[in-house]
Amino acid sequence: MTNRSAVLARLASLVAAAPRDQSLAVRLCAACVTILGADGGAITLASTRPERLTVSTSDGTSARIEDLQDVLGEGPGQQAFREGRAVVTHVDGDHGGPFPMFTEMAGDIAGPVTVWAIPMHPGGTTIGVITLYRVAGALTEGLDDAQFLADAVGAALLDDRMTAGMAPFATWSDRARVHQATGMIVAQLAITPDDALAILRAHAYASSGTLDAIAREVVDRRLTFTHTDHGVSHDAAASDDSTGSGGR
């Protein structure tokens, strides 16, 4: 990926194209698997706490890997959540390393694989982990892009009163503007309002801005989504940051 605009455009395209009867978490998980070239993945919230919840798995292997970490209380996802950093684990028959029980039992489940656990911390606090596995080779994108995507997905899953740790809406006009922008994205992408709001949240994270600021760009038509022969693209000149990290 060359910039954040490309990341978010691909994410929007895949969410818009997925079956409408799937939950947002399921579609976001599937999008991460596709964008990063993994064989499977899962999204888990509060990964080391009693209220730990796996909200989506892309396949049976991913589900069993998450169940294994839950039962053992160890694994890359657990460490990624505690330390707030990406953790890469090779399951290749060597049962040593930091997760000996997990490595041995994951090998029985999936055979030789590499597991990436990437924390979602769009507002600075880790809210969960995206865990991906691949049988052969690395992810198609680097860890920096994977981390950005994970944080964008985390922002999309946040409660709509707050985006990336930002304060709630200051006025009713802010809320009205967000509703208007959401409606415009619904019309442009033919997706549900919840999905459109998730896309707004992801853009707010990417630009280190507020939800209202991104909504204003949509309403003013400085940020628009369009269908192309290759999926969904957007003109985001006012909010794209292709060279930096958006202050994060």
Side-chain angles (χ1 to χ4, degrees):
M1 297 176 195
T2 58
N3 55 52
R4 293 183 163 193
S5 179
V7 174
L8 294 175
R10 188 107 189 265
L11 183 65
S13 175
L14 291 168
V15 169
R20 303 299 171 80
D21 59 348
Q22 294 180 346
S23 71
L24 176 61
V26 167
R27 282 175 283 167
L28 288 169
C29 181
C32 288
V33 170
T34 298
I35 292 171
L36 297 175
D39 291 319
I43 296 178
T44 301
L45 301 179
S47 298
T48 64
R49 299 175 182 172
E51 64 270 27
R52 181 184 193 276
L53 176 65
T54 298
V55 296
S56 175
T57 57
S58 67
D59 57 14
T61 298
S62 294
R64 294 178 68 189
I65 289 174
E66 288 306 308
D67 287 343
L68 180 61
Q69 295 189 84
D70 196 13
V71 170
L72 296 177
E74 73 167 37
Q78 305 268 336
Q79 184 173 349
F81 184 84
R82 285 192 300 267
E83 299 183 2
R85 64 177 181 87
V87 176
V88 182
T89 301
H90 300 288
V91 179
D92 55 8
D94 181 0
H95 303 327
F99 321 115
M101 293 180 65
F102 169 81
T103 301
E104 179 177 0
M105 298 179 74
D108 294 338
I109 292 172
V113 296
T114 300
V115 179
W116 291 264
I118 306 167
M120 297 181 292
H121 41 38
T125 299
T126 302
I127 64 171
V129 175
I130 296 177
T131 304
L132 303 159
Y133 78 88
R134 188 170 184 181
V135 174
L139 298 177
T140 55
E141 308 298 339
L143 277 180
D144 286 346
D145 281 329
Q147 183 62 70
F148 169 72
L149 181 61
D151 287 341
V153 168
L157 291 172
L158 285 174
D159 185 272
D160 69 348
R161 292 171 300 171
M162 191 172 293
T163 297
M166 301 299 177
F169 296 104
T171 65
W172 280 107
S173 63
D174 293 351
R175 170 66 75 174
R177 188 158 36 242
V178 169
H179 281 310
Q180 183 180 356
T182 299
M184 292 173 68
I185 295 175
V186 167
Q188 291 168 11
L189 294 181
I191 56 179
T192 68
D194 285 346
D195 293 344
L197 184 57
I199 296 301
L200 277 178
R201 292 190 201 115
H203 273 276
Y205 162 75
S207 65
S208 296
T210 64
L211 197 58
D212 178 59
I214 299 303
R216 189 186 299 272
E217 292 190 14
V218 173
V219 171
D220 292 344
R221 302 187 186 281
R222 289 181 286 131
L223 174 61
T224 60
F225 297 80
T226 57
H227 288 279
T228 72
D229 292 339
H230 303 289
V232 173
S233 63
H234 58 80
D235 176 7
S239 60
D240 181 32
D241 175 2
S242 60
T243 58
S245 60
R248 300 187 187 278

